[in-house]
Amino acid sequence: MLFQRFWLISYFLLFILLSLSVVKIPVGFEARVGQIFLLFLFSVLLLYDLRFKTLNIKILMYFLTFGLIVSLISKLSTYEKVGEVKFLIKYLIIFPGAFYVGMKIFQHLTVKKILLIMETAGIIYGISAFILYIHPIEALMHIREGLEGFQGTFYEPSGLAEAIGLIFITSLSLRLQFNLWEKPYYIFSAYLFFLIVAIATKNKTIWIALFSVLIFAIIYKVILVFLLEKKLKYLSFKDIYHGAIENITKISIIKITFILITFGMFLYLYNASLEEPIFSEKILEEKIKTERGKAFWAVIKLLEKSHWLGGYGYGFVEAYFSKSRQEILGLGEGVSMIFNSYLDAWLAGSIINLFFQLSLLVISFSFKYFPTMFIPLFLFIGANLNPLYGDEYYYLFLGMSFGFKKFYDQLKI
């Protein structure tokens, strides 16, 4: 009972402290308070697992091996780099810690307690974002010109959008998996609130990722029906089939289609009401010509120059584009990663790092359960449009997906 309370409080504090992006503690360098607490919880879990002989040495060695490889590649790069050390610390300590902490949440807490932690944290994110939008507090938020939309205590609106989107999709998948709809009015109100906050961030990535997951759910249902009718129980369909009988009745194509149309119309009306729309043909054209499209071809040229091996080192992006003659919106001084996580991983840490990042998605994914489908897919889509792999939430939730698969047979509702 004592341990249950400790894990409950610890994980709740983790979700809250990780959102405090600008609150830092000097420990030889400036570390975010959320990162410090993450490492504290990681240490506690390691000691606990050593004591009870439940340490997952394989996943730790996997992270450590690739972390050392990409760190060595970065250090051997002769190109100019800015802030390389912070990336190496993340790869060697913070990212493994985030994945491990996320993985272990399903070992120590019931599904309902996990839902309570995440949904409460999401509501706090949204309320604080609303308050800080009206009355900004410099000690709690990153204030700079040019940023619009809700961002709360996160460094940018995209950070709040990512966190809210992950909480929404994880909560939805867990409730769908275990049919946990005891308080429908509360659940509907919370989900509506999350989506309103997501819209208020004016971030486009979250909508593309969310709609992709919902469309995937429809396709998944169609595939399951086909497999069950054809009784395909073997070969590459085996993993899908084992979870099909239980999952097929939990997906309603009509309901999902209704949700897609409803929120699509809601987003369209909101977008049309703005003086400067979130989505428009003009904005898309600008992004292709001056921002992401231009950045994409610049990165492709750099990868081609390296014979498609990459490995320019961490901090190269900021150093290179700060001095580059071609002006690209969103890149330059103070920007350490490009818009696409996997291109960035390839460019900075070499093709080995790209393999490592994609392998984490593969080991965290499974067709058997909703969380192990929805979470990796949401992160994959989002990371192709934003540098998500550079923060703790990405690895924390990937770890949760991996842990759900690993501890499914031991789960308590």
Side-chain angles (χ1 to χ4, degrees):
M1 188 67 178
L2 181 62
F3 269 124
Q4 277 283 312
R5 288 181 180 176
F6 173 78
W7 299 127
L8 180 67
I9 294 169
S10 296
Y11 275 101
F12 178 69
L13 280 175
L14 177 66
F15 273 86
I16 298 303
L17 294 177
L18 281 178
S19 71
L20 301 175
S21 302
V22 301
V23 182
K24 299 179 179 179
I25 299 174
V27 286
F29 61 95
E30 296 232 313
R32 295 177 182 177
V33 65
Q35 293 173 336
I36 297 295
F37 188 79
L38 171 67
L39 294 180
F40 162 75
L41 187 54
F42 180 38
S43 302
V44 172
L45 283 166
L46 290 179
L47 291 173
Y48 180 94
D49 287 344
L50 283 169
R51 169 70 177 80
F52 293 99
K53 298 180 180 179
T54 55
L55 186 69
N56 192 320
I57 193 68
K58 289 182 180 179
I59 199 69
L60 290 174
M61 290 304 298
Y62 192 71
F63 266 90
L64 181 61
T65 300
F66 279 100
L68 287 171
I69 290 171
V70 298
S71 296
L72 184 61
I73 289 170
S74 181
K75 292 301 290 184
L76 290 174
S77 170
T78 57
Y79 292 93
E80 182 184 354
K81 288 159 278 183
V82 176
E84 180 186 29
V85 173
K86 68 179 181 181
F87 284 100
L88 303 187
I89 291 172
K90 283 186 173 184
Y91 265 94
L92 293 171
I93 305 173
I94 294 175
F95 292 161
F99 191 93
Y100 198 86
V101 168
M103 175 183 71
K104 287 291 181 174
I105 193 171
F106 286 105
Q107 180 182 345
H108 297 299
L109 291 172
T110 65
V111 173
K112 288 184 178 179
K113 281 187 170 63
I114 293 169
L115 285 168
L116 175 65
I117 289 170
M118 289 194 306
E119 290 169 1
T120 304
I123 291 168
I124 292 172
Y125 293 168
I127 292 172
S128 61
F130 177 76
I131 293 171
L132 291 173
Y133 185 77
I134 296 172
H135 183 67
I137 301 173
E138 192 171 351
L140 292 177
M141 62 188 300
H142 176 225
I143 301 173
R144 63 172 177 166
E145 294 182 9
L147 285 178
E148 296 182 354
F150 283 19
Q151 70 181 75
T153 56
F154 290 83
Y155 199 73
E156 291 184 349
S158 60
L160 173 60
E162 175 198 1
I164 285 289
L166 280 167
I167 286 171
F168 171 76
I169 209 69
T170 305
S171 172
L172 178 64
S173 61
L174 286 172
R175 291 190 179 280
L176 196 60
Q177 185 70 46
F178 299 106
N179 199 27
L180 298 173
W181 309 101
E182 295 93 343
K183 299 178 181 178
Y185 294 110
Y186 158 76
I187 296 167
F188 175 78
S189 299
Y191 286 176
L192 183 61
F193 178 70
F194 294 157
L195 292 169
I196 289 171
V197 172
I199 289 175
T201 65
K202 297 188 177 180
N203 180 267
K204 305 168 188 65
T205 299
I206 183 176
W207 295 105
I208 297 171
L210 283 175
F211 277 98
S212 297
V213 171
L214 290 173
I215 291 169
F216 171 81
I218 294 174
I219 295 171
Y220 175 74
K221 169 89 172 188
V222 172
I223 290 173
L224 289 186
V225 171
F226 173 78
L227 293 180
L228 288 172
E229 284 183 355
K230 299 296 182 182
K231 300 189 183 330
L232 298 175
K233 305 180 184 180
Y234 31 81
L235 299 178
S236 60
F237 299 110
K238 185 178 181 180
D239 192 39
I240 304 176
Y241 187 87
H242 282 172
I245 300 295
E246 183 182 353
N247 288 342
I248 192 168
T249 59
K250 298 176 183 176
I251 296 180
S252 169
I253 291 181
I254 295 174
K255 287 181 181 178
I256 293 175
T257 304
F258 176 75
I259 291 171
L260 276 170
I261 293 172
T262 301
F263 284 108
M265 289 176 62
F266 181 59
L267 185 60
Y268 173 79
L269 292 172
Y270 175 75
N271 187 63
S273 70
L274 297 173
E275 290 184 15
E276 295 184 12
I278 303 172
F279 300 96
S280 70
E281 187 178 339
K282 181 182 177 182
I283 289 173
L284 182 61
E285 188 177 345
E286 285 179 359
K287 283 188 174 292
I288 292 173
K289 289 183 178 180
T290 64
E291 191 186 34
R292 299 186 179 211
K294 195 173 182 180
F296 174 80
W297 290 114
V299 171
I300 291 298
K301 287 180 181 178
L302 286 167
L303 289 172
E304 187 178 14
K305 184 181 176 182
S306 70
H307 304 289
W308 304 104
L309 295 175
Y312 286 88
Y314 289 98
F316 166 79
V317 168
E318 183 174 353
Y320 177 80
F321 287 103
S322 295
K323 297 178 180 179
S324 177
R325 291 181 180 179
Q326 52 178 329
E327 187 176 339
I328 300 175
L329 191 64
L331 288 179
E333 189 175 350
V335 181
S336 54
M337 292 180 288
I338 61 171
F339 69 95
N340 185 300
S341 291
Y342 306 115
L343 279 178
D344 189 272
W346 190 356
L347 183 69
S350 82
I351 198 166
I352 295 174
N353 193 27
L354 175 62
F355 169 80
F356 171 58
Q357 294 299 331
L358 294 178
S359 71
L360 290 179
L361 287 165
V362 172
I363 66 173
S364 302
F365 184 88
S366 172
F367 279 111
K368 293 173 72 173
Y369 317 109
F370 292 121
T372 59
M373 288 188 288
F374 290 1
I375 296 172
L377 179 61
F378 179 90
L379 287 170
F380 175 73
I381 299 296
N384 270 288
L385 301 169
N386 275 92
L388 299 187
Y389 90 120
D391 69 23
E392 298 78 29
Y393 278 92
Y394 181 89
Y395 297 91
L396 180 68
F397 278 85
L398 262 189
M400 287 176 67
S401 180
F402 180 82
F404 184 89
K405 182 170 61 171
K406 180 175 177 58
F407 297 111
Y408 181 78
D409 294 332
Q410 305 169 32
L411 280 179
K412 293 180 181 179
I413 307 300

